[in-house]
Each structure stands twice: as structure tokens, then as C-alpha cells.
Amino acid sequence: MNEGRHAQCDLHTTTDVVLRPELNAKCSVPFSTGVSPKCCASDFTLSEIKSLCGKMDASGSIDGTPEEYVYGGTADWRTDLYQYSCPVIPTHKESIELIKSFDGKFTPELKSADVEMPYEGTYTQEDYAQQMIDEYIEAGVDPTSVWPQSFNTDDVLYWVKNTDFGGQAVALDEKYEATEEEYRAWHKLLKDNGVKIVAPPMWMLVKDDPNAELGMVPSAYADSAKEHGLQVLTWTLERTGPGLDGWYWQSVTDSVENLDPTQIDGHKFALLHVLSEEIGVLGVFSDWPATTTFYANCMGLGLRSETEDDVTAVDARSSAAGRRLKAVGRLVNIAFKLMCRGWWYRIDLSTAIDASFILPKHQVRE
């Protein structure tokens, strides 16, 4: 079974499939003017999917042309810069090899099936959950480098009970309307069955508190996870546009509304600080890495640091200009760290420091 970016049936918004007449015709609901398409991975062979071009997950009006549908609708704070050269769609196995080549870690999510399971009468949900793990085993990936995730509790329990990858299995939470009694019961079920990590959206972990230094404190949900011995991952910082409006900020609307407009961007760091220091999350998923990386660098949160051997190897093949640039980078990093110790959450960090006055003076020439 193949999956799309966010779901099995999202190829009409994540690829150019509706521009390919012969493949558009195979969609569960083909695109035509005025008709919302539905194109599923299960509608195509693997070779057909590999022939498509990947793109930003967006779409234009169904009342326009196929081209307007495919390449319209991208939010103005996102970009289509990388989609016009026809990015190749990797298989899950190919993505594993790519990430391995960068010595990275793995956080695969087993997406919910949009077809009836067992698929074609024989392929069960357990087969599906096992196949994802089998591809890491086949690639020789250590289980400690993988955090398999699912919104389906049964998938997570399967990994815990039947594979060596259950120690870091992540129970994603989409029970947004659950009462305190209900989520406490679920946390107990997870703990009793050996699940160690729970992953709700950020807003479920915090609540408004006008008397708190940062305007927010851990929620009862966060307290419950801690009481049940569960570690926490959360999602997704900067999934939405600039500012603090929308679904991901719904539990701290009062503290946000009381901010001066010049403090808005800096308040994202207030949220990160509460998540990190008061709740102790393992990590925060982000659609844009700059903010989380800036915070992690400021606070010294588990980023890999260069070893003496690394520095020696780099210096040996660096030009004098390159070494000067590295020194400048270290000075800028020190400035960042000093700034982190101040009231960083009350300022707009986009204007807090501008390294451009230094960097152009030390350009590296080949």
C-alpha cells in the first residue's frame, strides 16, 4: 500500500496528477472544471506514482484550468520555489536511505487507510503496521533511531508488543474534545500497555494564566501525561502563517490578545520555553526549522556539537577566509546566547540581531 504526504488520498494536491490526462482518469474522482478531485495512492501503480512531480500541498479553485488548480492556492508565506523542476517522489524505502546518508533520525507516521481493511481481502492493519517496521529492519536501522507514530492506538500497541521498535513508539492524539476523565483513562491504558510517548498538538499542553511570567502554564493534560510517566512530543510550530491566530493557538488566546503587536513573534519562544522547561517535551515538530533551532541553540538542547577531530578536519581543508568566516559565526552564536538570557520572549526576534553588517566583509572565495 502506498501513501501520500498527509493521507492516502491527497495526490491531487501534492502532485501534478490532474495535469496527466491518462492518470487523472484513474483517480477515484478525476478533476474536471467544477468537480473536486480525489486521487489516491491506491488508484495507481508504483511506477505511475514515481512518474509524477511532487509539489507544495495546495490547490487552486476547481472552477479554473487544471494548471490553475495544481499550481494555485499556495499561501503567500509558503513557497513554490522547489516544485518546478519536477521533484521525484521517493518510496518509503528510498526516504530511509536518504535520511541514513545524512546520519539522521526517523519519525515515520503510519497514515490511516482510506480503503477498506483488510485491503483486497488479505492485507490487514497489522500487516500494514508490520510492513513499515520491516523496511527499517531491512535497511539495518537501529530501533533507537526510529520513533514510529500513529493516531491509531492499536498500531502503537502492536509495535510495542510485536517488534523491537516499540520502545519509542508514539501515540499521536487527535481526541481533541476528550474530557479530563477520558484522556486520563487513555493515558493509563497507554502506560499499562508499555507505551512511553504521547503526542498531542501544542495547544492541548498549555493554558492561559495571566499571573504567569509568560502568560501560559502547563495544562491538566500535560499534568496527566507526567503523572502517568509518559514522555511528550508535540506538533506543529509554525504550521500556520505569521502571527498567533488559528487552531494551534486556541488554548492561549487570552494571553495572545493582550500582547502588543510587536511582541507577537517573540511569543512563539514563550510557548517553546514552557513546552521545554515546564513540561519537558522530548521535541517539537515544526514546519520551519529556524525558530526551533534558534531556541535549541540558545538553551543548549541536545544538538550535536562538533568534536575536536571534526574541527581539525575542517580547518585542514579550509582557506584562511573560511576560517575567518567560522570565527565570525562563533561570535554571532555567542551574541545569540547572550540575547537568550534576556527578555527574548518580549521582542520581535526578526529585528533583534542583524549579522549582515559583519558577514559580507568575510566572503569566502574559491
Side-chain angles (χ1 to χ4, degrees):
M1 180 179 293
N2 299 311
E3 288 292 341
R5 176 178 182 268
H6 268 153
Q8 180 185 342
C9 295
D10 70 358
L11 295 183
H12 49 285
T13 61
T14 59
T15 75
D16 64 348
V17 63
V18 305
L19 298 182
R20 317 286 186 97
E22 71 285 359
L23 296 181
N24 179 54
K26 296 184 66 175
C27 290
S28 295
V29 180
F31 173 86
S32 61
T33 302
V35 176
S36 297
K38 179 181 179 181
C39 301
C40 305
S42 51
D43 292 334
F44 308 100
T45 66
L46 177 58
S47 61
E48 287 172 335
I49 292 175
K50 296 285 287 181
S51 73
L52 300 173
C53 299
K55 58 177 285 289
M56 174 65 71
D57 186 5
S59 61
S61 170
I62 60 173
D63 295 322
T65 66
E67 289 77 11
E68 290 169 336
Y69 177 83
V70 169
Y71 293 116
T74 301
D76 58 10
W77 46 274
R78 292 184 171 174
T79 180
D80 295 318
L81 179 63
Y82 306 105
Q83 72 185 32
Y84 293 108
S85 59
C86 193
V88 175
I89 299 173
T91 64
H92 181 234
K93 288 183 179 181
E94 289 169 342
S95 74
I96 293 173
E97 293 303 321
L98 177 63
I99 294 168
K100 276 180 63 178
S101 71
F102 291 101
D103 192 29
K105 305 297 183 181
F106 304 85
T107 57
E109 179 187 344
L110 192 71
K111 297 294 186 179
S112 300
D114 285 333
V115 292
E116 184 178 348
M117 300 292 273
Y119 182 55
E120 296 185 338
T122 58
Y123 185 79
T124 66
Q125 185 68 30
E126 291 77 13
D127 292 333
Y128 182 32
Q130 184 63 51
Q131 181 181 348
M132 188 181 84
I133 298 301
D134 285 344
E135 295 190 351
Y136 288 96
I137 296 173
E138 183 181 325
V141 176
D142 191 292
T144 60
S145 293
V146 184
W147 285 260
Q149 307 172 70
S150 178
F151 283 105
N152 183 344
T153 301
D154 289 340
D155 292 339
V156 180
L157 299 184
Y158 176 87
W159 292 325
V160 170
K161 296 175 181 177
N162 297 285
T163 78
D164 293 331
F165 291 73
Q168 296 180 160
V170 179
L172 296 166
D173 193 355
E174 61 181 353
K175 295 177 285 295
Y176 312 127
E177 304 300 324
T179 65
E180 182 170 350
E181 180 181 5
E182 289 170 338
Y183 63 66
R184 282 185 172 275
W186 185 59
H187 289 165
K188 183 178 185 303
L189 181 149
L190 295 177
K191 176 186 178 182
D192 291 348
N193 284 276
V195 179
K196 299 178 181 178
I197 306 173
V198 67
M202 298 180 301
W203 64 264
M204 292 178 68
L205 294 171
V206 294
K207 64 179 180 180
D208 280 316
D209 185 342
N211 298 317
E213 182 182 18
L214 301 182
M216 64 185 80
V217 294
S219 66
Y221 184 105
D223 293 340
S224 173
K226 184 177 295 187
E227 290 169 16
H228 287 89
L230 296 171
Q231 296 177 302
V232 178
L233 287 169
T234 190
W235 43 276
T236 301
L237 193 71
E238 295 181 304
R239 172 70 178 152
T240 51
L244 307 181
D245 294 327
W247 190 81
Y248 287 94
W249 292 91
Q250 60 185 281
S251 64
V252 290
T253 52
D254 289 344
S255 61
V256 169
E257 287 174 358
N258 292 332
L259 288 175
D260 183 277
T262 62
Q263 300 171 352
I264 291 295
D265 285 339
H267 209 61
K268 294 176 182 177
F269 289 88
L271 173 62
L272 281 175
H273 198 61
V274 172
L275 291 173
S276 174
E277 300 302 305
E278 298 188 38
I279 298 173
V281 298
L282 287 176
V284 177
F285 285 96
S286 177
D287 276 9
W288 302 95
T291 302
T292 48
T293 301
F294 181 96
Y295 179 82
N297 277 323
C298 282
M299 305 303 292
L301 297 178
L303 295 186
R304 285 177 291 188
S305 59
E306 58 187 8
T307 65
E308 269 188 43
D309 289 342
D310 291 334
V311 174
T312 300
V314 170
D315 284 348
R317 61 177 182 265
S318 295
S319 64
R323 287 192 292 273
R324 288 196 299 272
L325 184 59
K326 182 189 287 187
V328 169
R330 287 172 176 161
L331 288 173
V332 171
N333 193 44
I334 290 171
F336 282 163
K337 290 183 177 179
L338 289 173
M339 185 173 65
C340 286
R341 294 173 182 159
W343 291 80
W344 43 263
Y345 56 86
R346 296 195 184 279
I347 59 178
D348 180 351
L349 287 172
S350 66
T351 60
I353 185 168
D354 181 4
S356 63
F357 72 99
I358 291 178
L359 295 179
K361 299 178 182 178
H362 298 282
Q363 295 178 0
V364 178
R365 291 183 175 84
E366 295 296 332

